[in-house]
Amino acid sequence: MRLGMVIDTSRCIGCHTCAIACKHENNLPRGNWWNRILTDGGSQMDTPAGDWPNNSMSYLPVNCQHCENPACTKACPVGATYKDPETGIVHQDYDKCIGCRMCIAACPYTGVRSFNWEEPEYAIDFPVGGAVPAHQKHTVEKCILCVHRVDKGLEPACIAVCPERARHFGDFDDPESEVSKLIRERECKQLLTSEGTNPSVYYLV
């Protein structure tokens, strides 16, 4: 399989529901976001480009691209970031991670990984979300496509909660899957194709 997602940018309303669901489902520490909604407009979040009345604004959700040819796995000296040969999901093993951050340096997609400089802190004093590994000091972390949900036959949290159905999840190796049909029938793009990573996240335009 080659699991990944298709995001319809024409339907994304920038509500950040996917980012919040990701944070809750993966019990992310304070300050960590695996899923961000960038504003393709002004210089700050949720600000339009242009001058009134000729303004424009659109959104670009960004997370780990789960590349078919990931640069991060080649850079990691200890195999802490690796690609699952059965699903194509790029994983992160906190127990193996030595905190060298070579994966961050190698990844062409800025901001999709975060590093825990200190012991993780949380807004509340009990864990939330699914059965995820405990976050650790001096480790890199990132989107793992909610593999704990996928293993149970469920969609990643960000897919399940999107109110506008802008996100779709499936197997790109299955020509009859929804994601395969979408990229076959609609105009789409991938981010930084010049890097040769072949991301498993496609954006409908």
Side-chain angles (χ1 to χ4, degrees), residues 2-8 18 35 61-66 143-146 156-159 166-172 179 182-183 189-190 199-204:
R2 182 188 167 210
L3 296 180
M5 67 176 72
V6 172
I7 302 174
D8 189 340
C18 54
N35 197 337
V62 178
N63 54 274
C64 173
Q65 302 290 291
H66 295 278
C143 161
I144 52 172
L145 282 183
C146 289
C158 65
I159 308 291
R167 288 175 172 255
H168 308 269
F169 176 74
D171 180 8
F172 288 111
V179 291
L182 283 170
I183 64 172
K189 66 179 181 180
Q190 298 164 290
S200 295
V201 178
Y202 290 77
Y203 296 87
L204 302 180

Side-chain angles (χ1 to χ4, degrees), residues 12 14-28 32-38 45 61-63 146 157-159 161-163 167:
C12 179
C15 65
H16 303 272
T17 303
C18 54
I20 297 299
C22 170
K23 193 170 185 69
H24 178 275
E25 179 64 32
N26 293 284
N27 193 38
L28 297 187
N32 285 14
W33 296 91
W34 291 357
N35 197 337
R36 297 175 298 129
I37 312 303
L38 305 182
M45 182 185 292
V62 178
N63 54 274
C146 289
C158 65
I159 308 291
V161 302
C162 180
R167 288 175 172 255

Side-chain angles (χ1 to χ4, degrees), residues 96-108:
K96 287 185 177 180
C97 182
I98 58 174
C100 68
R101 305 185 298 285
M102 292 297 293
C103 57
I104 295 177
C107 177

Side-chain angles (χ1 to χ4, degrees), residues 25-159:
E25 179 64 32
N26 293 284
N27 193 38
L28 297 187
R30 190 189 301 274
N32 285 14
W33 296 91
W34 291 357
N35 197 337
R36 297 175 298 129
I37 312 303
L38 305 182
T39 305
D40 187 7
S43 59
Q44 299 180 15
M45 182 185 292
D46 297 328
T47 59
D51 299 314
W52 175 262
N54 300 310
N55 298 108
S56 65
M57 184 166 66
S58 60
Y59 299 98
L60 183 69
V62 178
N63 54 274
C64 173
Q65 302 290 291
H66 295 278
C67 304
E68 188 172 29
N69 183 33
C72 57
T73 60
K74 299 178 180 66
C76 180
V78 293
T81 183
Y82 62 97
K83 179 182 170 184
D84 185 339
E86 294 185 4
T87 64
I89 295 175
V90 178
H91 290 273
Q92 191 76 22
D93 188 329
Y94 304 147
D95 291 330
K96 287 185 177 180
C97 182
I98 58 174
C100 68
R101 305 185 298 285
M102 292 297 293
C103 57
I104 295 177
C107 177
Y109 305 101
T110 304
V112 301
R113 293 170 181 257
S114 54
F115 182 70
N116 294 322
W117 291 96
E118 302 296 339
E119 287 294 341
E121 297 181 353
Y122 301 87
I124 54 180
D125 60 0
F126 58 87
V128 296
V132 296
H135 302 277
Q136 301 178 28
K137 180 180 179 180
H138 291 165
T139 57
V140 175
E141 53 182 58
K142 66 171 196 67
C143 161
I144 52 172
L145 282 183
C146 289
V147 66
H148 57 286
R149 289 175 56 89
V150 172
D151 286 346
K152 297 177 181 178
L154 302 173
E155 297 177 319
C158 65
I159 308 291

